[in-house]
Amino acid sequence: QVQLVESGGGLVPAGGSLRLSCKHSGGTFNAYSMAWFREAPGKAREFVAASKGNGGSTFHEDSVKGRFTMSRVNAENTVYLQMNSLKQEDTAVYYCAAGRRLINSALRLPSQYDYWGRGTQVTVSS
């Protein structure tokens, strides 16, 4: 059974930075596409970034391009989300997700992922 554990959230002033981590266990990490989603109060879960398995590409949502960078370290079974120039609208619970055999067009869809972490809160103050 795959388990995902996020860490690194917190309270940060606008313009600041945070790095989120997601540790994957219980499966063949390299075979999984990994993604970050976020959910703000009263809003639907939103795609942030994804990294395809088996050496595939990484994709970022337009609203975070140039500010957020997703990376994966297969030797550590871990993905990271480096978040710079944070804005108040980035405030949300950030979730890590894992899925297999996802085509590019499916990466942005929460329903396509099989496993989820519990989330980590990111709060950006004014």
Side-chain angles (χ1 to χ4, degrees), residues 22-30 34 73-79:
C22 173
K23 179 78 171 180
H24 174 288
S25 62
T28 305
F29 177 68
N30 191 48
M34 300 292 296
V73 181
N74 289 333
E76 297 176 359
N77 287 0
T78 301
V79 293

Side-chain angles (χ1 to χ4, degrees), residues 1-39:
Q1 181 75 6
V2 170
Q3 290 188 319
L4 304 173
V5 179
E6 304 99 333
S7 61
L11 174 64
V12 63
S17 298
L18 281 175
R19 189 177 80 154
L20 305 183
S21 301
C22 173
K23 179 78 171 180
H24 174 288
S25 62
T28 305
F29 177 68
N30 191 48
Y32 284 85
S33 291
M34 300 292 296
W36 289 99
F37 288 81
R38 64 187 181 186
E39 190 169 324

